[in-house]
Amino acid sequence: MSINTSSDVVCGSAVGLRGRLWRLTASELRAAAVSASAEILRLEAVRVAVVDELSMRPDDQVIASRGVGSWLAANTMLQVRDGKKIAALGAALRPFPAVTARFDVGDCSFEHAVLIVAFCESPPKGMPDAALPRCIDLLLAAASGVEATTTKVRNVIATLERVFESDEIPPAEDEDRNELRIASTLNGRVVVRGDFDALTGEMLLSALSNLTMPTPAPDGTPDARSAAKRTADGFTELIRRYLDCAKTGTDGGQRPHVNVHINARDLAEHRDCAAAPSPDGGGGGGGGGGGATVSDLDVGHMPWLGPLSVSQTRLLGCDCFLSTVLLDDHGAPLDAKPGKRLVSAEQRVALIARDKGCAFPGCTCVPAWTDAHHIRHWANGGPTVMNNLVLLCRSHHRLMHRKSGFVGKWVIRIGVDNKPWFIPPPSIDPQQHPRPANTTFKT
């Protein structure tokens, strides 16, 4: 069987498909992936509807299997728990036609439909019955479209639970439910299991955030640890710092926690022109005087690990503590100016209020794991003001500064709404339509 279009991929069998996909272009492969995902949503809705109808009209086979969920698992490759979840969703959707309609057209995923009907079945005790349709509309808006995320749906649910407060303490804020169990195992290890209120959880996550981020090896090799391993290592370090005179560190304080030295002229100029001599033959401004040599161009310097590229130094320089040292022709210090943070604590608070996290479209990175990126780099005259700053996670920050094949292609502009907008490269959107900052954390 030959493949001519992406629709042939979706409609055909996967047997031998991998050996034929080379005939499709990248755009056709993307279209096939999107179409296949839409087809999966459609079939998921069909299965839920059929299973629900069968549960209301069970025959001897279903009855003998002790329920339609168990029967489905026995006749497919599903686990029993998954079969029961499908049957449970079908029954839960019956009283809520608006949710059912959105799920049936493939505009709401299985997981998001489960969250929404669970809220509808057990709404906040302080919520009047008349408010339920409006709440369903808000939840469906958060669950619909390609920008829908579980985080976004859960945030809407949490917001509604706070809006309709009752005299009872909501479960997320009930400290009396907090539990922490620490037990040793037969092989001498320790198992920790806990359940905490939201505020305690926020404090714990804040304390761990800068200790659990991926840390590349000195040679640039990505951190191979799993998220669970990084969390365990961070928790160990947190305890060690507490026992060592309560040296708990800070999150969002002095960053980066690395000393990097660089010639001011090299930092201000692009790589293509940094090797060119300055008009006066000097080595730049605040970074020192004297003639430039090959050894001190296009490079930063770290006291421990040595050379660091200008692009990586610029990335670190977006959100750092800056000290300026004036050098003579021999590289000896003449004067030093007091250090200052490029992005103040007040500005960072304001950026978090505006961007909520990484502003790159589709990113879900929380504020504590972001850098304040200068849209126009400060070394090139870009001011450290709100309309020249945007929060980016380290991955998207690196993409803007140095990632191979992407440098200079994504453009950030501050719109008339005083919020960042992202203009994709033609390879992603030939028309280069501006995209708004990420709305994952907005409700």
Side-chain angles (χ1 to χ4, degrees):
M1 175 183 174
S2 63
I3 297 178
N4 297 316
T5 64
S6 59
S7 61
D8 294 336
V9 175
V10 178
C11 298
S13 169
V15 177
L17 177 63
R18 295 175 183 272
R20 305 192 301 271
L21 287 176
W22 63 270
R23 297 185 178 93
L24 298 183
T25 64
S27 61
E28 288 173 331
L29 289 172
R30 292 198 307 270
V34 173
S35 297
S37 299
E39 185 69 3
I40 290 171
L41 288 176
R42 185 187 71 81
L43 292 175
E44 189 78 79
V46 169
R47 182 169 61 180
V48 169
V50 170
V51 169
D52 186 44
E53 183 67 22
L54 187 58
S55 71
M56 293 186 289
R57 294 190 289 123
D59 61 4
D60 290 344
Q61 289 192 37
V62 173
I63 294 172
S65 298
R66 301 180 63 183
V68 68
S70 298
W71 169 84
L72 182 64
N75 289 273
T76 64
M77 298 179 67
L78 291 173
Q79 299 297 311
V80 173
R81 65 176 180 274
D82 295 324
K84 290 184 176 180
K85 284 175 62 177
I86 292 169
L89 177 59
L93 285 171
R94 295 174 202 163
F96 309 108
V99 183
T100 304
R102 195 68 66 88
F103 177 66
D104 287 348
V105 299
D107 200 25
C108 179
S109 70
F110 185 98
E111 291 78 11
H112 293 165
V114 169
L115 288 174
I116 294 173
V117 295
F119 173 88
C120 295
E121 290 176 334
S122 301
K125 292 186 177 181
M127 188 183 81
D129 294 340
L132 183 58
R134 174 57 177 160
C135 292
I136 291 177
D137 289 342
L138 292 173
L139 289 166
L140 289 174
S144 300
V146 295
E147 293 185 353
T149 64
T150 302
T151 299
K152 199 170 183 179
V153 176
R154 289 187 182 276
N155 281 346
V156 174
I157 292 174
T159 301
L160 292 174
E161 288 176 344
R162 301 305 183 274
V163 169
F164 299 106
E165 289 186 2
S166 64
D167 293 336
E168 294 185 8
I169 300 175
E173 300 175 10
D174 189 356
E175 295 183 358
D176 291 338
R177 299 189 182 192
N178 289 2
E179 293 180 342
L180 180 64
R181 293 185 174 90
I182 304 176
S184 58
T185 63
L186 293 177
N187 61 2
R189 295 182 62 80
V190 175
V191 174
V192 180
R193 184 173 299 168
D195 181 8
F196 297 100
D197 64 280
L199 181 57
T200 302
E202 181 74 14
M203 290 189 292
L204 178 60
L205 292 174
S206 297
L208 288 172
S209 65
N210 67 326
L211 301 176
T212 57
M213 296 180 67
T215 305
D219 62 357
T221 304
D223 195 333
R225 296 175 299 167
S226 66
K229 183 64 170 68
R230 295 200 311 270
T231 301
D233 291 346
F235 189 66
T236 302
E237 179 65 18
L238 184 67
I239 297 172
R240 182 181 293 114
R241 292 188 184 189
Y242 174 77
L243 294 176
D244 185 15
C245 304
K247 292 168 61 178
T248 56
T250 60
D251 186 11
Q254 180 174 337
R255 297 189 305 149
H257 302 288
V258 184
N259 288 318
V260 179
H261 306 154
I262 187 168
N263 184 294
R265 174 173 161 268
D266 293 341
L267 184 62
E269 294 180 347
H270 295 290
R271 169 171 287 279
D272 292 340
C273 63
S278 60
D280 58 1
T293 63
V294 173
S295 62
D296 63 11
L297 292 175
D298 272 328
V299 69
H301 179 79
M302 298 179 292
W304 287 99
L305 299 177
L308 188 70
S309 68
V310 171
S311 56
Q312 181 71 0
T313 304
R314 282 183 165 219
L315 185 151
L316 297 173
C318 269
D319 194 358
C320 71
F321 196 89
L322 176 68
S323 297
T324 304
V325 180
L326 183 64
L327 307 178
D328 63 15
D329 292 344
H330 305 287
L334 291 175
D335 189 22
K337 296 182 180 179
K340 64 176 182 179
R341 267 196 68 80
L342 288 182
V343 179
S344 67
E346 292 80 7
Q347 285 176 318
R348 187 166 181 84
V349 170
L351 285 170
I352 292 173
R354 186 191 71 186
D355 297 344
K356 301 295 191 299
C358 178
F360 195 90
C363 186
T364 60
C365 187
V366 296
W369 294 355
T370 59
D371 297 326
H373 168 67
H374 284 71
I375 298 173
R376 179 186 180 194
H377 200 278
W378 61 268
N380 289 341
T384 305
V385 296
M386 288 294 294
N387 279 354
N388 194 46
L389 296 172
V390 61
L391 289 183
L392 295 175
C393 67
R394 183 51 60 94
S395 176
H396 287 120
H397 196 184
R398 186 176 292 110
L399 182 147
M400 293 297 174
H401 275 273
R402 62 172 300 183
K403 192 167 184 179
S404 176
F406 282 92
V407 173
K409 292 189 177 181
W410 277 91
V411 178
I412 306 176
R413 295 282 185 267
I414 298 297
V416 295
D417 56 358
N418 289 320
K419 296 179 180 179
W421 287 73
F422 293 75
I423 303 173
S427 60
I428 294 178
D429 179 4
Q431 304 301 319
Q432 293 190 280
H433 296 294
R435 303 184 182 186
N438 184 28
T439 57
T440 299
F441 297 97
K442 297 179 178 65
T443 59

